[in-house]
Amino acid sequence: QVQLVESGGGLVQAGGSLRLSCAASGRTFSSYGMGWFRPAPGKEREFVAAIRWSRGNTYYADSVKGRFTISRDNAKNTVYLQMNSLKPEDTAVYYCAAGIWNWDFNSDSRYDYWGRGTQVTVSS
């Protein structure tokens, strides 16, 4: 049974940092890509960042580029999202997801497995 478990959310002041973790289990993810999403006005889920598990290629939404960094630890089967220079508009529940995609990494329909999410709140 595939499980994705997020952790690391919390309350932080604007300009602060948080590191989210996503522990993956239940199958081999070497052929998968991992992504982080969050809800947004008018959308069910907005793409934040993604990483190819095998090669480590990373992709970011324009809104977080230069502030967020996605990475993975193969030995721990864990994906991270380092979030720096946080803004109040980053406040959301952040979801980790796993799927097999090619270049459509920003489409939530390409992801088969989802975690339950972790709340990030940024105060002004």
Side-chain angles (χ1 to χ4, degrees), residues 24-77:
S25 62
R27 67 166 301 136
T28 302
F29 289 92
S30 57
S31 60
Y32 276 68
M34 305 295 292
W36 287 94
F37 287 80
R38 65 189 183 188
K43 299 180 182 180
E44 184 175 351
R45 286 181 283 239
E46 172 188 60
F47 169 73
V48 175
I51 186 168
R52 295 185 191 273
W53 197 283
S54 57
R55 299 181 180 181
N57 307 71
T58 57
Y59 310 92
Y60 298 94
D62 288 342
S63 59
V64 307
K65 201 171 293 183
R67 299 188 298 123
F68 291 10
T69 303
I70 188 170
S71 62
R72 88 266 191 253
D73 184 327
N74 289 342
K76 295 182 178 180
N77 241 25

Side-chain angles (χ1 to χ4, degrees), residues 5 15 20 28 64 70-71 77 81 83 85 90 93 95 116 118:
V5 180
L20 306 184
T28 302
V64 307
I70 188 170
S71 62
N77 241 25
L81 185 67
M83 305 187 296
S85 303
D90 294 319
V93 176
Y95 296 92
R116 294 188 175 183
T118 184

